[in-house]
Amino acid sequence: MVIVDITQKLESLYVTVECSSLQILEDLWNDYCSEYLSGWAEDTFVTQEVLEELGLLSVKLRTTISEKEYKDCRVQFLKNLGVYDSLFHLYTWQN
């Protein structure tokens, strides 16, 4: 996984990442669902220097990943692997 962009808008920090494999995408999604990603983001972005600069004792971060974006990206990986078409045909065949 590679961070390709970090943008600040209002009170939010938008981090865009690029996943180079289906496994990395799945790991990212699992980390998000387990809330591990929020803790990682806090440990990475909220340093003592940042807290002092903002005059704060602590900051609680919350991460959000769009389920639609995750599913769309997953479908793209599966299509590239040739698996999606097989799964789709199997699914439609059974109905």
Side-chain angles (χ1 to χ4, degrees), residues 1-80:
M1 178 177 65
V2 176
I3 295 175
V4 294
D5 186 48
I6 300 176
T7 306
Q8 181 187 356
K9 294 180 184 176
L10 300 174
E11 295 179 355
S12 297
L13 188 64
Y14 293 86
V15 179
T16 303
V17 299
E18 182 177 287
C19 296
S20 58
S21 72
L22 179 59
Q23 184 61 54
I24 291 171
L25 175 66
E26 295 293 346
D27 290 345
L28 178 65
W29 183 251
N30 290 333
D31 286 347
Y32 167 69
C33 290
S34 70
E35 298 185 10
Y36 171 81
L37 194 57
S38 290
W40 177 86
E42 281 183 38
D43 294 343
T44 302
F45 295 112
V46 183
T47 63
Q48 190 60 40
E49 182 181 313
V50 168
L51 292 174
E52 289 172 7
E53 188 174 312
L54 297 174
L56 300 171
L57 297 175
S58 66
V59 171
K60 181 74 175 166
L61 296 183
R62 180 178 57 122
T63 58
T64 303
I65 296 177
S66 161
E67 186 171 358
K68 181 186 180 323
E69 287 184 15
Y70 158 72
K71 287 180 177 180
D72 289 347
C73 190
R74 187 173 191 281
V75 165
Q76 283 305 114
F77 274 116
L78 292 173
K79 281 183 178 180
N80 290 341

